[in-house]
Amino acid sequence: MSSDLQNMPYFIKPSLNFNEEEKIAAYKDAVQGIDASIKPGDHRIMKMATINSILKTYIPYYYWVGFYIVRNGRLEIGPYQGTLGCLYIDFDKGVCGKAAREQQTQIVEDVHQLSQGDEHIACDPHSHSEICVPVINGIGDLIAIFDVDSTNRSSFDEIDQEYLESILEKHFR
């Protein structure tokens, strides 16, 4: 076992990337689980916790998954699964901040290639790739950023983006 894996928290497994077919099949299964669990009118926090849990169950390259909720002009940690996340993120910092500012999904193949502190906030040294998706409500307001990290490089692509944007739009608009 590599020393990097030995230093990981006992309750977290290293990410396992999927090929395109495996990824699509896993997302289809996850979407079924999410749609069966979440009903119209369910509380926003319950939806967030359920989406985290189901996606982390079905997608093995999800190392950290969670929501940063827009509150008091910045992002604050919301429901998540994984190691301790950043508690607060300003809109001018990190990949989540960029997703919030631009209100566009951000995919990063290797976060360690970004300027630390500005372009990326290193909450966990095991994270290597990341996708951040804006969560927009029914009146067009940004309410959160959905953030996923992987211990592998290049885990996220247009398939992840398409499925995540669809899930979030369906359950938060």
Side-chain angles (χ1 to χ4, degrees), residues 53-69:
S53 178
I54 292 173
L55 287 172
K56 192 153 180 18
T57 298
Y58 282 94
I59 316 290
Y61 52 92
Y62 278 34
Y63 172 71
W64 191 97
V65 57
F67 288 85
Y68 283 97
I69 299 169

Side-chain angles (χ1 to χ4, degrees), residues 34 38 44-55 62 64-71 75-81 85-87 89 96 131 133-136 143-148 164 167-169 171-172:
I34 291 167
I38 296 176
R44 182 184 295 172
I45 298 297
M46 188 277 305
K47 290 181 189 181
M48 291 176 178
T50 301
I51 288 169
N52 288 340
S53 178
I54 292 173
L55 287 172
Y62 278 34
W64 191 97
V65 57
F67 288 85
Y68 283 97
I69 299 169
V70 175
R71 200 175 285 140
L75 299 169
E76 293 185 5
I77 193 74
Y80 71 95
Q81 291 196 3
C86 299
L87 300 181
I89 300 174
C96 288
I131 185 169
V133 184
V135 182
I136 310 294
I143 59 170
I145 295 296
F146 182 68
D147 181 22
V148 188
L164 293 176
I167 290 165
L168 297 169
E169 182 173 341
H171 294 287
F172 292 99

Side-chain angles (χ1 to χ4, degrees), residues 116-131:
Q116 296 303 307
D118 291 320
E119 295 178 312
H120 179 252
I121 303 168
C123 298
D124 186 321
H126 296 104
S127 294
H128 286 283
S129 59
E130 182 173 17
I131 185 169

